[in-house]
Amino acid sequence: MSIDWAALGQVSGISLLVTVGFVGVFTLGILGTSRKPQQAEAGTDTAATASTASAPAGGAFGPARAGAYLCFALCAAVVAYGINLIVA
Amino acid sequence: MEHITLLIGIVIVTALVFDFTNGFHDTANAMATTISTGALGPRIAVAMSAVLNLVGAFLSVEVAKTISGGIIDEDAGVRPEVIFAGLVGAILWNLLTWLAGLPSSSSHALFGGLIGATLVSVGMDGVNSDKIVMKVLIPAVAAPIVAGVAALVATRLTYRLARGRDPQDTAKGYRAGQIASAALVSLAHGTNDAQKTMGVITLALITGGVIAPDSDPPLWVIVSAGLAIALGTYLGGWRIIRTMGKGITDIQPPQGFAAQTGAATVILASSHIGFALSTTQVCSGSVMGAGVGRKGGVVRWSTAGRMVLAWVLTLPAAGLVAGGAALLADQGDWGVTAVAVLAVAACAGIWAASRRKPVDHTNVNDIDEAAALPAEPVGVVTAALQSVAPPPARAATASSSATPAGASAATGSTS
């Protein structure tokens, strides 16, 4: 009986890297599109409340938003590759 | 399709029933955390999963082709009776674990059933033990651990990156990401598990001499297997969804996203290499990992332990039932009939037991209700269910532990 350590290691390593990478990139995308608390709450008395939901809507813009879209595009590409793996 | 004997017909129907329980049992894999984080409503979630399972069934026949020649040696005299007995063992174990709300592996139930039936009626020669160890046992141990570690690290990372942000603000993004990962898991499940049934039906057709050895599954086999698994998925094994979505740990949107992504990645990577992985075990592993990864997250190790116990038991238990069924089915026509009658009776009994405390899409997310209703005399099953459903006190801890992220957001803004 032979245990194929190489295949096992490969699956483990790739899974770990891809998962962490994917989640990391996606989180960056979320960060880019969500409001920074510092900006949203600047100069308001409600700064101490935990919820920023009532703060004026603004969101990130400019390079942050563009970067976020790049992150999401990268994630979409990975998902497409995944579907490709299923089909092939 | 010419000359399908009654026996082969019974085997095909049994295989489709197994396929149905498989979908039923495994809805939780893709959708449990999606439902518990509120990314999708319960009904929409199972409908989406069902459609993707159906689509997945049509995408490829690679797994179906390997199953017949892989674990069971089809040349060693495996007859339709043996396959029938194996399927009965797998179905009964699937239903029992469903009744207890335990996410056990449908694939292992199938393998265990087939192996047990083959051992009893053909002997050791009929089973490729090397392949069982390498393709089934080792991935069974490794895959959930890998998925768990991946989800753990990913959860840590995403909480660290997103600290200082309002959880309500980011939840939408995480939920969207989670839907995508869950869709991928459903699709992969359709290709893997629907194909296992196709493989079994094809194996039955080959052993019955209906189609030539090494032929692809006929179209009607692919269609019926896909439909059976989609129907099972749509009806949803709500008990198992509850255990996975709420029972193991309380899942927040970032955790759900990390867990689902880890599961999807491990499933795709290992099925690409050719391991017969268990979607269920991978998903449970990643949910546990995500539970450990969040600060203040509580993993209910008693539930997790019961689940792992069910995993260990799955192969031998399904094998044992199947072995008994094979012994009986080998006695001739009356034996096969007896097995069929007993199997139907057992299924009906389990279903009746499940009606005593139904879990469906309306109460899948409220854990308090089930634990707070000790109205009927506590039988074995009720006791098991009550211990699976966590006590209400836990829910309070969970909601209070959700606050640190919000609190840190507040501190970040004042500094």
Side-chain angles (χ1 to χ4, degrees):
Chain A
M1 178 184 3
S2 61
I3 295 174
D4 193 351
W5 290 109
L8 270 180
Q10 214 181 335
V11 170
S12 314
I14 290 175
S15 301
L16 199 62
L17 281 179
V18 172
T19 306
V20 174
F22 186 91
V23 170
V25 170
F26 194 87
T27 308
L28 289 180
I30 291 178
L31 292 184
T33 48
S34 69
R35 279 169 282 133
K36 285 202 183 76
Q38 288 90 336
Q39 289 178 345
E41 294 176 4
T44 58
D45 289 331
T46 56
T49 58
S51 169
T52 55
S54 58
F61 40 88
R65 190 160 273 273
Y69 286 140
L70 195 69
C71 290
F72 287 136
L74 194 64
C75 290
V78 174
V79 171
Y81 179 68
I83 293 174
N84 183 46
L85 275 186
I86 298 176
V87 177
Chain B
M1 40 165 162
E2 39 168 345
H3 299 312
I4 291 185
T5 59
L6 182 62
L7 183 59
I8 303 264
I10 293 175
V11 172
I12 292 170
V13 171
T14 320
L16 290 177
V17 171
F18 169 75
D19 204 19
F20 175 82
T21 64
N22 189 344
F24 192 72
H25 215 272
D26 290 1
T27 320
N29 297 338
M31 289 307 166
T33 60
T34 320
I35 291 170
S36 67
T37 59
L40 286 174
R43 301 235 81 154
I44 299 168
V46 291
M48 183 179 118
S49 187
V51 169
L52 288 167
N53 265 291
L54 184 61
V55 172
F58 286 93
L59 287 181
S60 146
V61 288
E62 282 307 310
V63 179
K65 277 201 280 189
T66 49
I67 200 161
S68 48
I71 284 154
I72 308 295
D73 195 350
E74 57 190 289
D75 301 326
V78 174
R79 286 158 303 114
E81 289 93 326
V82 178
I83 301 173
F84 173 63
L87 286 169
V88 167
I91 291 171
L92 289 183
W93 181 250
N94 256 357
L95 286 178
L96 271 177
T97 48
W98 162 72
L99 184 64
L102 289 174
S104 70
S105 167
S106 304
S107 319
H108 283 192
L110 178 63
F111 292 145
L114 287 177
I115 292 165
T118 310
L119 280 180
V120 165
S121 100
V122 181
M124 278 306 287
D125 301 344
V127 181
N128 296 333
S129 41
D130 261 21
K131 281 202 175 147
I132 293 172
V133 171
M134 189 54 220
K135 295 260 178 191
V136 180
L137 292 184
I138 290 180
V141 177
I145 295 176
V146 172
V149 171
L152 193 160
V153 177
T155 308
R156 283 261 159 82
L157 176 75
T158 192
Y159 269 106
R160 173 159 284 254
L161 285 175
R163 72 174 175 228
R165 295 301 173 102
D166 178 15
Q168 282 184 328
D169 206 22
T170 52
K172 215 174 128 196
Y174 282 122
R175 289 195 179 121
Q178 195 186 357
I179 293 172
S181 314
L184 217 51
V185 172
S186 289
L187 202 63
H189 184 261
T191 38
N192 273 294
D193 285 33
Q195 279 194 62
K196 281 171 194 146
T197 307
M198 288 177 215
V200 169
I201 297 179
T202 312
L203 183 63
L205 291 173
I206 292 173
T207 53
V210 179
I211 56 175
D214 299 327
S215 48
D216 280 358
L219 184 65
W220 62 269
V221 171
I222 299 176
V223 172
S224 51
L227 284 176
I229 204 165
L231 187 67
T233 308
Y234 182 68
L235 289 178
W238 300 108
R239 286 163 191 277
I240 301 174
I241 292 177
R242 175 144 81 182
T243 304
M244 261 173 105
K246 291 273 172 189
I248 301 173
T249 182
D250 290 286
I251 291 274
Q252 306 292 320
Q255 291 173 290
F257 170 61
Q260 212 60 268
T261 306
T265 315
V266 171
I267 290 167
L268 289 178
S270 52
S271 61
H272 192 58
I273 294 275
F275 290 141
L277 79 168
S278 158
T279 343
T280 314
Q281 296 178 352
V282 170
C283 291
S284 322
S286 66
V287 168
M288 281 188 236
V292 177
R294 174 166 66 94
K295 270 191 196 137
V298 182
V299 173
R300 293 184 191 91
W301 293 111
S302 59
T303 305
R306 228 185 336 267
M307 209 171 61
V308 171
L309 188 68
W311 295 353
V312 175
L313 286 179
T314 296
L315 271 174
L320 213 62
V321 177
L327 211 58
L328 201 57
D330 268 350
Q331 308 303 313
D333 287 347
W334 69 267
V336 175
T337 317
V339 171
V341 169
L342 285 174
V344 169
C347 292
I350 292 171
W351 186 80
S354 80
R355 298 312 297 167
R356 289 200 295 166
K357 195 174 282 181
V359 178
D360 60 20
H361 65 97
T362 54
N363 62 353
V364 65
N365 271 352
D366 26 295
I367 43 177
D368 304 357
E369 197 185 325
L373 283 177
E376 40 192 314
V378 182
V380 182
V381 171
T382 357
L385 273 174
Q386 273 166 1
S387 45
V388 167
R394 296 284 198 180
T397 343
S399 56
S400 65
S401 65
T403 40
S408 65
T411 9
S413 61
T414 47
S415 60

